[in-house]
Amino acid sequence: MTVAVSYTVDGAADAPVVVLSNSLGATRAMWDPQVPALAERYRVVTYDTRGHGESPAPKGPYTLDDLTDDLVALLDEVGAERAHVAGLSLGGMTAMRLAARNPERVHRLALLCTSAKADPQAYLDRAVAARSGGTAPLAPVVVSRWLTPTYAAEHPDLVARLEAMIAGSDDEGYAACCEVVAGLDLREDLARITAPTLVVSGAEDPALPPEHQRLIADGIRGAELVTVSPGAHLANLERTLEVTGALLGHFDSAGGTR
Ligand SMILES: O=C(O)CC1=CCC(=O)O1
């Protein structure tokens, strides 16, 4: 069943729409470094994937199609027949499924630090851990993959905020989203994606290293691959200027059409 996700809109009401989809354990706040620049030219919609932030967390299991249905419902809710869609990690998985399944809803696609097929056991184990012990004990090790060690050491306040984000995720919602990651295989979706696509890798991403994004870029016709360094799993936080610039360049290439 579709969930009405919690969302925020920034930017002019008549501007082309950009939707940003968060990663596992994060909230829409993960896009804070990107929103101000994007909102100068776009109507930017950020949302919390179900099980995260202020969105409902129904009992699992969830499927990737459930998360994609939520995104379609959000596009309907904000009146966007078509949007530029960017997602990081789990958000990128949702964006890929949307672009493959509902190509008429996606104008341009941006896939950051994501994968078409992740290691199932790691995420099944994490789902068990989240259900038994909650998300808080998982936060330090997960966040240690989100930033490079040097950047994390220089930004302890950011590390604390990110750990609090994970700890704030609903235990069942987080676990059910881990199982989505464990169960998905988007490799056959890639050839069905027709939206012009930008793929972004963090060169030092230990969670989903660059070979995952290489596979995606090789599978989507005409996709452009950009690698930022130093950058880990939440490369948009550490390489703010490069990632924001790459997103703007990609969406602006559409020439302001909706
Ligand atoms: O949480 C992680 O370790 C990496 C990840 C997989 C999907 C996602 O959104 O983050």
Side-chain angles (χ1 to χ4, degrees), residues 65 95-104 106 109 185-197 216 219-221:
D65 281 307
M96 278 187 269
R97 174 53 55 85
L98 177 72
R101 204 190 74 176
N102 302 87
E104 74 287 356
V106 180
L109 182 66
D185 186 347
L186 288 159
R187 289 174 294 185
E188 292 198 351
D189 287 47
L190 300 177
R192 285 198 281 276
I193 294 176
T194 51
T197 301
I216 291 169
I220 300 176
R221 189 167 318 128

Side-chain angles (χ1 to χ4, degrees), residues 23-24 88-90 93 123 126 142 145-146 181 207-208 233:
S23 67
L24 180 67
L88 191 145
S89 202
L90 177 62
M93 296 162 188
Y123 294 96
R126 207 189 298 174
V142 173
R145 301 188 199 108
W146 284 6
V181 176
L208 296 174
H233 192 53

Side-chain angles (χ1 to χ4, degrees), residues 17-20 38 41-42 83-87 107-110 196 198 244-257:
V17 174
V18 169
V19 180
L20 304 175
L38 290 173
R41 297 182 220 173
Y42 296 95
H84 300 307
V85 180
H107 196 177
R108 289 188 153 238
L109 182 66
L198 169 72
T244 307
L247 291 175
L248 280 170
H250 183 57
F251 299 146
D252 288 355
S253 304
T257 54

Side-chain angles (χ1 to χ4, degrees), residues 107-158:
H107 196 177
R108 289 188 153 238
L109 182 66
L111 304 170
L112 291 77
C113 307
T114 189
S115 176
K117 175 109 182 72
D119 167 19
Q121 198 55 52
Y123 294 96
L124 291 175
D125 292 347
R126 207 189 298 174
V128 170
R131 285 201 178 94
S132 61
T135 54
L138 302 172
V141 70
V142 173
V143 172
S144 74
R145 301 188 199 108
W146 284 6
L147 306 170
T148 63
T150 305
Y151 194 83
E154 289 167 357
H155 297 84
D157 293 351
L158 175 61

Side-chain angles (χ1 to χ4, degrees), residues 14 46 52 57 70 82 85 110 112 114 116 123 126 131 134 155 161-162 174 220-221 230 239 258:
D14 61 349
T46 53
H52 292 75
D70 296 348
R82 204 155 76 120
V85 180
L112 291 77
T114 189
Y123 294 96
R126 207 189 298 174
R131 285 201 178 94
H155 297 84
R161 278 205 307 280
L162 296 175
Y174 183 87
I220 300 176
R221 189 167 318 128
R239 311 300 331 155
R258 297 196 187 121

